[in-house]
Amino acid sequence: MKSMGRSKKSFTVQSFGTGDKVKLPGSAPNKPNIYDFGTTYEHIYRDLQEKDRSLYTQNGLLHMLDRNRRIKPGPQRLQECSDKFDVVISCEERVYDQILEMFESREPVDNTPVHVINIDIQDNHEEATIGAFLICDLCTQLEDSQDLEDDIDELLQEFESKAKRQVLHCVQFY
Amino acid sequence: MAAMEVGNDVQEQCVELLNEAALLTDDVKKVANLKKVQELIIHQDPALLDNFLDEVVAFQSDTNAEVRRAVLGFIEEACRKDHEMVPKVVANLSLLLQDSFSVAVVKRTIQAIGNIYKITLQWLSQARSVTDLMDSAWSMLGQMKRQIISYVDHDNDGVRTMAVKFMEMVVLLQTYSEPGSLKRQEFCLDGVPMTLKIARPRKLEEEARTVFAEMIKFHGSPHISSVNLMACMGSLTLIARCRPSFIGQVISALESLHANLPPTLSKSQVNSVRKHMKMQLLNLLKHPASYDSHRNICTLLTDLGASQSEVARAMPPAEELRKRQRRTEEPPGAADDDTPGTKRQKFVPEDDDDDDEEVPAGRVASGARLAPVDKMKHKLNAIDITETWAAERLTPQLAADLVLVSMQHLPDAPPALFSNTFTPISAAGTRSQIQHVARLLAAQLTKAGLGPGVEATRNQGIQMTDHDWEMEDEEEAPAGSRRPIATVLSGTVTGREAKKKVALLPSGQMHKKHMAKPLRLTEITRPLPKDELEKSMTAALDRLLAAEKAGPRRGTVLRPSQTAGHDVGPLHTAAVGQDAGSHSGGHARPGRPGVQLAVRGVLQLGGLQQLWPGDAQHSQLRADLLHAHLGADGAARLQGRRNPADSSVPGGAGGSRLGRGHPEGVQLGPGHLPAGPAAVWAAAERPARPAGQLRAGAAAAGHGSRPGDPRPGAGAGAAAAPEQRHAGHAGRTARRGAAQVARRGDAAGAAGHRSAEFPHLTVPEGVTREWTDELAKLCLHLYLALLPRRESLIHELAHVYVLTTADVKRTILRVLEAPIRGMGMESPELLTLVETCPKGAETLITRVIHILTDKTPPSVELVDRVRDLYQKRVSDVRFLIPVLNGLNKSEVIAALPKIRLNPVVVKEVFNRLLGIHADTGNFSSPLTPVELLVALHNIDPAKCDMKTIIKATSLCFAEKQVYTQEVLAVVLQQLMEQDPLPVLLMRTVIQSLALYNRLIGLVMNILTRLASRQVWTEKKVWEGFIKCCQRTKPSSYQVLLQLPVDPLREVFDTAPELRAQLRDYVNGFTASQREHLPADVFELITGRKPGEEPQRVSPPPAPEPAAEPPPRLPRARNRKRSKRHPPSSGAADAPMKAIDY
């Protein structure tokens, strides 16, 4: 769901959604809460609080929204962002596909390379925590590299074998 | 008035910011300031551009790469804003493109040049007249363009990626837009007027096609990295979408890529690449112009695992397809002529309005440029031709044959990748599926250089080589001006020179008083003429040597030497050094002051080293001197000291030359040995440029020591340990070099290999020496030391191995043991190596497996890989030998006939199978000794030379501890029961008997059994049988008597002496005993009828009559140790009697 350009431990990072809508878990798997991009976290927070305060406190959603609303006003959509990143990381293959599709549909203007990386992370708290560390780890390595373009292949392979996860990677251009 | 104020304000701000930036030490702030200036100038007051360009550009000599990149951003924006800026900055770009400090800057430069190149062409096309300035700028950009294109072979992945993007830009810029193009509002060849002399559209287009061919070539190269591959794929598709005439070629390229993915990709990289390819193909599918290739695209997509709905979604709407179809049904000529024409008409009013007179010319061009397109079509259609050819022949019969033939190459279990990606063929047997299979086959065949398509294209092949570049150069010169013109001053010069281009100097150079800009002597000096060079060289050396005699006054001489370094010019110093170096081998000794001076001279040169980043000869002589005359530690320290300021590459070069220049140099003294490690430590201590440093150090370590000395390796390792990344650098250095050798091929021979590990050291011609054992070991030293730490390096070793000479191969094999042991059997890289055994490296692999399995049983994985390799790729039985223990019984037995190598190998095999030298504890063999010997007997003589089998069995017999009497008895027993009888049976029987006399009982049993099995019908065994009887007499008499008369006659024919002996034996029989003998046999033996008395009675040897005659046929029982033999005449009364042992 999220794609990022560098994570928060002293990285410059932004997180994005790539879908058409902002979808958050609801009272049942088939009843997600759906909002448009452009809705503020504040609004979502209030909305959920009204709907079922205890449920959303329990599953940590309110906590997350609370944290998010202090960071930025609302969810952003990658497709609508004009910033340029060095690295975009996604945590689901579907999202990776959407990112690639987005880049493919654009016309490269100045050919600045951007590395798109996918690490599959299941959407639950435990996996997300492990995933966060993994990604942080990877980002540190990428950041430390003196020549990212030249090292990334090797870094990713090392990461793969260390994290025992398959990584998808490709290079796109702004 | 207000505008003026704003202008002044901006100007002041800029001045302030720039001044601040010049003094700032914080690079981040500096960049921020520059960005602000850029913003102010470009967006607020472009008029100031002219004023400040120099000031900003002057920052290009800043030591920080980010600052230089910011400058590039500024240059790019400036050119975009004002085309007149281009000539002012091209020289700067050219300098930045050479940036040896930072790859990032080079990449950024390529990016900037891409844009500026486009802008410049646009500017040229729109300008009313072309000035000299423009001409110079354009030709300089042309040079840079060629350089960048050559960067697709650059060492750095990122640079290659950028080069690919640059090429994409060139192709898109230098071709005409087409009706089906993506709507790119960009400038392209359409806007270039025909009359533009310095950039002829036809030439530009031709160049674009050459560049495109280069891209296709790069795209298909087997060593391409995954990032490059995906970038290249993306570029090709973009080109195809923007220039539909390329679609066909792009799709064939993708097809051939799909069929032959680079072997170097890891599993997840393969996934990424396939995904990327799928995405690209879907994009192509969306493009209406791809209609003709829809079939190919769809089959490819299905292969890549795209679902029907995905494909359907990407298909353009049916209506558009129909339109497209109609268009293609029109006569092709009409369509071809039509489309460009309409396009041009549409275009002309937009852009060319001030070039109205050019339009007719443009039309002519559109007709003329059809030719190259056709040519290209032929070239790329090899796959199509082969496809039709294959499709015609692809009958069910042939398909079945193909499947059967390839069946044996299939592995037992499908590989993971296959099961991941396999999609059942839904439309098997249909026309389209046959076509698809044909296409796949065609792609493979074409890749392998087979098939009619390849033939056809070869015949009409168009050479797209360097001469296209040359042609372009020629064209650039105005026609007729190439005739030599005599001038008063300088004799004859060519027209091109006579035209005297405007020399474009880099901007921002005059303001460098307050900037620390590295001195670039190459820009201001010119090489001395050769004779002058030599003269000054000798003179300088003479002075130095003379000064040496002067002894105490050396301090004064030092100064001239220094001056030489600074004033006379680097070449002069080089000359000094060179001569000194050549003398050094002969008579100079460490510590001699004069020579030390020479050394210093050379070291002075070190400061200027960056001028010749690739000048290996130069660094070699320096290092020669260093190592010959200074303590090695000192040398290393000097190297180390210089390195931080110096460019890393030459530093490394120097370091590595330290011990390598002369192999004999290594023997100079123990003092030299620590040089390598010392350099490494020096490198590790310098945080400034760890990568380069360590590379240098590693190079030194690799070469600066005596083979067998563990220190450099340990040093390298130790230094690398704290920072894992460093090991990466060292490793990569080694690897990259190896890859380069592989690419360069054997032609480079010794020189190539020497630079194998250190590609930045181009070994000058004439310096190459014979490859000696010593030298090879030296070169391999670091590599091998690093192997256990960085196992992936092993793959390059295999490539290098394939390419080197036999001598080096032997050396490699010899030194391999320790590192391979260090890696161990579980190393995934080793397993991969075994799996992907490159052609020609079989011996290496065998050696590796041998080392791994020596004294320990092979692991399951290893066995699996080896079995795979053996079954699928290289049926070389040598692979199997080391892992025999891991194979199952039937496999071993199947492999046995193929092991017909020298006895040593066979011995080794048996040792392994029988566990003779293995640690008995965990030894387990698939074959018991009995099974082995039996298997040997059962080898089909047609498959294997009988002599070899005999030798092999003898080897078994020699192992008396294994083949004991009991074991042999079992073997014989088993052999006996076979039908037909093994040819070697009797030989083995005789041998066993020779070894163990006590087997006689069993042997008799066997002989009896054989007699009852009509052994005489099998010629070989029969011969053996007779021999055996000869040897086992008198015990064998019993057996002989059981033979019918005809075979017995044969026995007597072969061995006449038996007759007399047997006669004596029979004569000793009692009458009742004789009765049991058939009459004809009796007659044959004794020569008389059964009733007659013998003429001569010989006393029978102690007859021991048997109480009751046993049944006729002996029961073949396996009683091994019988005490009651020989069954002498005692049993003679019953020839049919069982021999009861």
Side-chain angles (χ1 to χ4, degrees):
Chain A
M1 201 69 81
K2 295 270 165 61
S3 58
M4 345 208 309
R6 306 281 173 99
S7 132
K8 76 173 168 191
K9 288 199 176 169
S10 81
F11 305 123
T12 328
V13 59
Q14 289 192 49
S15 85
F16 296 95
T18 50
D20 296 330
K21 304 269 182 189
V22 182
K23 273 188 206 171
L24 293 170
S27 50
N30 56 350
K31 285 187 226 158
N33 292 300
I34 298 177
Y35 303 93
D36 279 328
F37 276 99
T39 321
T40 59
Y41 282 125
E42 189 68 39
H43 174 87
I44 303 175
Y45 186 84
R46 295 239 182 86
D47 191 44
L48 292 185
Q49 214 168 22
E50 271 166 39
K51 275 184 182 161
D52 189 341
R53 185 174 198 140
S54 65
L55 170 72
Y56 295 118
T57 311
Q58 214 169 21
N59 68 9
L61 211 54
L62 284 180
H63 174 72
M64 185 190 88
L65 286 166
D66 186 41
R67 190 196 61 193
N68 287 357
R69 69 178 174 180
R70 275 179 274 130
I71 298 171
K72 58 178 184 179
Q76 288 169 280
R77 191 160 182 262
L78 183 66
Q79 283 86 334
E80 287 154 13
C81 171
S82 57
D83 292 359
K84 288 175 188 169
F85 298 99
D86 297 320
V87 177
V88 177
I89 299 178
S90 64
C91 307
E92 200 183 331
E93 193 165 335
R94 194 175 52 81
V95 177
Y96 177 79
D97 288 344
Q98 281 172 339
I99 298 172
L100 292 200
E101 211 162 310
M102 174 198 91
F103 278 113
E104 290 293 340
S105 63
R106 288 185 183 174
E107 295 246 337
V109 184
D110 60 4
N111 285 342
T112 314
V114 48
H115 293 276
V116 186
I117 298 170
N118 179 66
I119 305 163
D120 267 341
I121 291 168
Q122 279 172 17
D123 209 352
N124 62 43
H125 276 302
E126 191 188 347
E127 276 289 303
T129 315
I130 300 172
F133 280 108
L134 282 178
I135 292 178
C136 183
D137 199 29
L138 178 65
C139 286
T140 315
Q141 284 189 39
L142 295 180
E143 182 87 44
D144 284 351
S145 163
Q146 292 189 331
D147 184 357
L148 183 66
E149 246 81 75
D150 204 26
D151 292 339
I152 193 157
D153 260 354
E154 209 155 330
L155 289 177
L156 284 177
Q157 286 201 39
E158 271 168 32
F159 176 79
E160 267 190 337
S161 57
K162 207 168 66 186
K164 308 245 183 322
R165 274 165 205 261
Q166 288 265 320
V167 171
L168 290 169
H169 162 237
C170 107
V171 63
Q172 294 287 353
F173 297 88
Y174 278 110
Chain B
M1 198 55 193
M4 269 295 266
E5 264 169 38
V6 170
N8 278 338
D9 196 27
V10 170
Q11 186 162 6
E12 270 162 32
Q13 273 185 352
C14 289
V15 171
E16 203 168 301
L17 284 168
L18 285 173
N19 282 343
E20 202 182 308
L23 299 173
L24 276 174
T25 43
D26 182 355
D27 295 322
V28 181
K29 281 192 191 153
K30 218 188 259 188
V31 173
N33 271 12
L34 286 175
K35 287 260 155 83
K36 272 186 215 160
V37 172
Q38 175 177 339
E39 196 62 28
L40 285 172
I41 295 179
I42 308 280
H43 297 295
Q44 293 206 12
D45 197 354
L48 292 176
L49 203 50
D50 221 10
N51 296 1
F52 283 103
L53 182 76
D54 279 350
E55 276 75 6
V56 178
V57 167
F59 280 94
Q60 73 161 333
S61 48
D62 196 279
T63 46
N64 184 280
E66 280 307 313
V67 176
R68 277 175 277 157
R69 280 162 59 98
V71 171
L72 278 163
F74 180 84
I75 291 179
E76 205 178 331
E77 283 303 316
C79 291
R80 198 168 287 176
K81 204 79 195 170
D82 184 357
H83 296 173
E84 301 286 340
M85 294 295 133
V86 173
K88 296 185 182 158
V89 294
V90 274
N92 301 65
L93 288 174
S94 155
L95 284 181
L96 284 164
L97 188 59
Q98 318 288 341
D99 196 306
S100 52
F101 296 95
S102 164
V103 188
V105 173
V106 175
K107 286 189 281 196
R108 185 69 185 81
T109 316
I110 297 177
Q111 204 179 328
I113 292 177
N115 281 322
I116 292 172
Y117 183 78
K118 200 189 297 176
I119 292 166
T120 312
L121 187 59
Q122 194 169 5
W123 178 43
L124 291 179
S125 310
Q126 287 163 0
R128 293 195 172 272
S129 65
V130 174
T131 61
D132 287 350
L133 216 55
M134 290 164 138
D135 188 359
S136 305
W138 179 247
S139 69
M140 208 151 168
L141 276 169
Q143 282 167 17
M144 286 188 257
K145 170 182 68 188
R146 264 158 267 170
Q147 189 172 3
I148 295 173
I149 290 173
S150 72
Y151 276 172
V152 284
D153 289 327
H154 199 271
D155 270 350
N156 186 290
D157 225 20
V159 174
R160 289 196 298 260
T161 311
M162 292 316 294
V164 168
K165 289 310 269 186
F166 182 84
M167 289 162 91
E168 171 203 301
M169 184 283 301
V170 170
V171 174
L172 288 179
L173 176 68
Q174 299 186 175
T175 44
Y176 291 95
S177 70
E178 293 172 43
S181 299
L182 272 188
K183 288 199 171 55
R184 279 171 71 101
Q185 297 299 329
E186 288 204 347
F187 178 80
C188 68
L189 207 52
D190 299 333
V192 180
M194 275 305 288
T195 44
L196 190 60
K197 280 214 179 75
I198 59 171
R200 295 268 185 210
R202 189 171 58 80
K203 283 290 149 196
L204 291 180
E205 193 182 9
E206 224 166 76
E207 186 189 49
R209 292 189 185 280
T210 322
V211 171
F212 180 73
E214 292 273 332
M215 287 178 81
I216 295 264
K217 203 173 110 202
F218 182 64
H219 181 255
S221 59
H223 54 77
I224 190 168
S225 76
S226 81
V227 173
N228 285 164
L229 182 57
M230 288 189 279
C232 197
M233 227 192 282
S235 289
L236 286 180
T237 358
L238 187 66
I239 292 175
R241 284 157 69 201
C242 296
R243 303 283 180 266
S245 64
F246 287 110
I247 278 188
Q249 295 171 50
V250 170
I251 288 173
S252 339
L254 290 176
E255 272 173 342
S256 92
L257 175 74
H258 173 245
N260 301 285
L261 279 180
T264 46
L265 298 185
S266 74
K267 195 180 158 202
S268 70
Q269 283 174 337
V270 168
N271 286 342
S272 301
V273 167
R274 284 172 63 100
K275 206 168 181 48
H276 197 251
M277 194 192 287
K278 189 171 126 190
M279 182 78 72
Q280 301 300 336
L281 284 167
L282 285 173
N283 269 329
L284 278 180
L285 197 62
K286 281 182 197 150
H287 196 285
S290 68
Y291 174 75
D292 300 330
S293 323
H294 270 186
R295 190 174 52 79
N296 293 341
I297 298 180
C298 289
T299 39
L300 256 182
L301 274 172
T302 326
D303 283 355
L304 287 168
S307 65
Q308 282 298 326
S309 65
E310 270 178 296
V311 175
R313 222 181 312 142
M315 282 270 197
E319 212 173 293
E320 204 160 333
L321 283 183
R322 240 172 285 131
K323 228 191 291 170
R324 178 88 199 164
Q325 203 164 10
R326 258 202 311 279
R327 205 177 311 158
T328 45
E329 276 158 12
E330 283 171 30
D336 268 2
D337 281 346
D338 224 47
T339 40
T342 49
K343 177 257 314 167
R344 285 199 63 78
Q345 274 163 350
K346 214 167 39 192
F347 188 83
V348 164
E350 286 168 27
D351 239 358
D352 280 13
D353 33 21
D354 49 347
D355 293 288
D356 272 352
E357 69 280 6
E358 318 286 355
V359 178
R363 292 242 178 151
V364 178
S366 67
R369 70 166 204 275
L370 285 174
V373 184
D374 283 348
K375 265 200 276 177
M376 289 302 286
K377 267 188 188 149
H378 278 300
K379 188 179 166 86
L380 263 292
N381 274 356
I383 298 184
D384 292 340
I385 299 172
T386 316
E387 181 195 346
T388 6
W389 175 82
E392 280 166 14
R393 284 159 184 75
L394 209 56
T395 58
Q397 173 66 39
L398 182 75
D401 286 349
L402 280 176
V403 170
L404 286 177
V405 167
S406 46
M407 199 73 105
Q408 69 189 82
H409 300 295
L410 287 182
D412 288 340
L417 186 66
F418 177 81
S419 11
N420 279 349
T421 55
F422 176 72
T423 40
I425 303 161
S426 52
T430 58
R431 186 75 218 143
S432 68
Q433 196 251 346
I434 293 174
Q435 203 68 34
H436 174 46
V437 173
R439 180 125 196 123
L440 287 178
L441 283 173
Q444 292 288 1
L445 284 170
T446 312
K447 188 88 184 172
L450 297 169
V454 177
E455 294 291 320
T457 38
R458 196 178 294 145
N459 294 341
Q460 42 172 261
I462 330 138
Q463 297 287 309
M464 287 287 180
T465 50
D466 292 341
H467 87 165
D468 290 63
W469 299 126
E470 289 158 26
M471 269 166 53
E472 191 202 3
D473 277 346
E474 281 169 29
E475 186 71 15
E476 272 175 23
S481 66
R482 284 182 64 79
R483 256 178 292 123
I485 304 168
T487 64
V488 185
L489 272 177
S490 53
T492 313
V493 293
T494 61
R496 195 150 173 76
E497 284 170 56
K499 202 180 159 198
K500 191 126 190 181
K501 291 211 166 171
V502 181
L504 293 175
L505 289 177
S507 308
Q509 299 293 324
M510 49 290 235
H511 298 276
K512 66 187 169 197
K513 268 163 254 152
H514 56 285
M515 321 264 175
K517 166 154 180 9
L519 178 65
R520 288 176 185 272
L521 270 178
T522 30
E523 289 158 23
I524 51 171
T525 50
R526 221 149 269 189
L528 291 174
K530 195 164 183 265
D531 49 345
E532 204 175 316
L533 178 82
E534 272 169 15
K535 219 188 286 166
S536 57
M537 201 159 80
T538 339
L541 190 78
D542 284 347
R543 280 202 301 279
L544 282 171
L545 292 176
E548 187 191 348
K549 286 175 198 139
R553 283 176 54 233
R554 65 179 186 233
T556 44
V557 194
L558 180 63
R559 242 165 274 132
S561 149
Q562 279 172 336
T563 6
H566 283 309
D567 302 340
V568 184
L571 277 167
H572 190 114
T573 326
V576 176
Q578 197 156 24
D579 232 12
S582 62
H583 283 252
S584 69
H587 50 75
R589 263 184 219 155
R592 283 171 82 179
V595 186
Q596 273 194 351
L597 282 182
V599 173
R600 295 215 174 176
V602 179
L603 281 179
Q604 287 273 333
L605 203 53
L608 308 166
Q609 180 80 63
Q610 66 204 34
L611 300 177
W612 298 284
D615 192 347
Q617 190 178 11
H618 175 208
S619 47
Q620 158 153 34
L621 70 90
R622 194 181 66 206
D624 283 353
L625 277 171
L626 279 180
H627 100 252
H629 307 302
L630 298 175
D633 260 338
R637 234 175 283 133
L638 279 168
Q639 296 267 346
R641 194 191 318 147
R642 229 189 30 257
N643 276 349
D646 203 356
S647 151
S648 61
V649 172
S656 66
R657 296 284 164 176
L658 215 55
R660 183 170 44 150
H662 302 290
E664 67 269 24
V666 181
Q667 294 144 15
L668 272 180
H672 292 264
L673 278 178
V680 176
W681 283 116
E685 281 163 13
R686 307 270 171 191
R689 302 181 58 81
Q693 296 277 318
L694 196 92
R695 201 183 298 168
H703 295 294
S705 67
R706 201 174 270 173
D709 177 18
R711 275 178 289 173
E723 274 259 38
Q724 187 52 41
R725 244 160 7 92
H726 290 188
H729 284 298
R732 212 168 314 135
T733 315
R735 170 146 26 129
R736 217 175 271 150
Q740 222 180 37
V741 181
R743 243 175 283 160
R744 217 183 281 166
D746 202 17
H753 185 89
R754 182 186 295 179
S755 60
E757 291 166 44
F758 307 99
H760 44 270
L761 310 179
T762 33
V763 177
E765 275 173 46
V767 188
T768 55
R769 292 189 184 81
E770 278 297 300
W771 260 118
T772 61
D773 198 27
E774 196 86 329
L775 207 52
K777 274 189 192 158
L778 273 175
C779 285
L780 283 168
H781 201 62
L782 172 70
Y783 190 88
L784 294 177
L786 278 173
L787 258 186
R789 287 168 191 276
R790 199 161 193 85
E791 300 180 340
S792 52
L793 285 175
I794 187 85
H795 302 293
E796 273 67 30
L797 183 65
H799 293 300
V800 171
Y801 178 85
V802 174
L803 295 174
T804 47
T805 58
D807 279 341
V808 181
K809 279 183 183 161
R810 268 194 290 280
T811 314
I812 292 180
L813 291 180
R814 259 202 308 277
V815 295
L816 208 54
E817 180 150 353
I820 295 289
R821 269 192 207 291
M823 291 171 79
M825 212 179 298
E826 262 66 52
S827 158
E829 296 294 343
L830 269 185
L831 291 178
T832 322
L833 176 71
V834 171
E835 204 174 16
T836 59
C837 165
K839 215 171 163 53
E842 287 84 0
T843 333
L844 179 76
I845 306 288
T846 320
R847 173 82 182 132
V848 168
I849 307 175
H850 263 280
I851 295 172
L852 288 179
T853 55
D854 193 23
K855 298 207 169 82
T856 37
S859 66
V860 183
E861 289 91 4
L862 184 67
V863 174
D864 284 349
R865 305 289 163 114
V866 175
R867 186 187 291 139
D868 252 27
L869 175 66
Y870 175 74
Q871 287 173 347
K872 278 186 251 154
R873 310 204 12 235
V874 199
S875 290
D876 188 333
V877 79
R878 283 177 300 171
F879 289 129
L880 285 186
I881 295 174
V883 296
L884 274 177
N885 287 343
L887 299 175
N888 62 35
K889 193 162 143 186
S890 57
E891 278 169 332
V892 176
I893 292 179
L896 276 179
K898 296 186 186 141
I899 308 175
R900 53 193 135 182
L901 309 159
N902 59 44
V904 186
V905 179
V906 181
K907 177 110 175 89
E908 151 93 22
V909 172
F910 289 170
N911 285 351
R912 280 177 187 273
L913 281 178
L914 304 173
I916 287 166
H917 295 307
D919 304 329
T920 39
N922 52 1
F923 172 76
S924 70
S925 167
L927 283 187
T928 61
V930 174
E931 284 167 335
L932 173 63
L933 197 50
V934 172
L936 283 177
H937 282 86
N938 286 333
I939 292 176
D940 184 354
K943 278 194 203 154
C944 191
D945 181 26
M946 189 55 80
K947 266 199 188 126
T948 320
I949 306 181
I950 291 177
K951 271 189 199 137
T953 49
S954 321
L955 279 173
C956 288
F957 287 121
E959 292 302 335
K960 289 196 183 163
Q961 271 156 351
V962 179
Y963 286 95
T964 56
Q965 185 176 323
E966 289 81 0
V967 173
L968 285 176
V970 180
V971 170
L972 293 179
Q973 200 65 43
Q974 289 190 3
L975 290 177
M976 258 301 297
E977 274 150 28
Q978 288 180 0
D979 190 32
L981 292 163
V983 177
L984 283 181
L985 171 65
M986 290 319 295
R987 194 191 138 77
T988 304
V989 170
I990 296 169
Q991 285 237 323
S992 311
L993 197 62
L995 282 174
Y996 303 105
N997 270 329
R998 298 202 302 201
L999 283 177
I1000 184 80
L1002 178 67
V1003 171
M1004 284 308 111
N1005 195 342
I1006 289 171
L1007 290 180
T1008 321
R1009 281 279 300 271
L1010 289 179
S1012 67
R1013 280 179 63 175
Q1014 306 197 319
V1015 62
W1016 49 91
T1017 53
E1018 285 167 73
K1019 189 166 170 285
K1020 287 264 185 223
V1021 186
W1022 179 235
E1023 282 168 16
F1025 182 89
I1026 298 172
K1027 274 215 183 80
C1028 187
C1029 289
Q1030 281 173 290
R1031 292 188 186 209
T1032 51
K1033 63 196 178 186
S1035 317
S1036 59
Y1037 295 155
Q1038 280 294 331
V1039 182
L1040 287 172
L1041 288 179
Q1042 288 175 39
L1043 294 172
V1045 66
D1046 286 342
L1048 191 59
R1049 191 171 290 124
E1050 262 182 68
V1051 175
F1052 291 154
D1053 288 348
T1054 324
E1057 81 280 358
L1058 274 180
R1059 184 183 189 131
Q1061 289 159 356
L1062 205 59
R1063 188 189 318 132
D1064 293 347
Y1065 177 65
V1066 172
N1067 283 342
F1069 278 10
T1070 60
S1072 62
Q1073 279 174 326
R1074 271 181 221 158
E1075 269 169 31
H1076 289 288
L1077 278 180
D1080 47 354
V1081 173
F1082 186 82
E1083 195 179 340
L1084 176 69
I1085 297 172
T1086 57
R1088 57 200 160 87
K1089 295 272 183 283
E1092 295 172 29
E1093 277 302 303
Q1095 284 103 6
R1096 180 173 54 89
V1097 180
S1098 56
E1104 195 187 300
E1108 60 245 86
R1112 190 184 184 281
L1113 272 179
R1115 186 137 292 130
R1117 309 240 72 235
N1118 185 16
R1119 303 261 182 86
K1120 282 161 231 154
R1121 287 175 302 280
S1122 164
K1123 298 277 176 252
R1124 278 194 281 151
H1125 70 87
S1128 54
S1129 51
D1133 62 332
M1136 317 298 175
K1137 182 190 166 194
I1139 303 164
D1140 192 10
Y1141 303 107

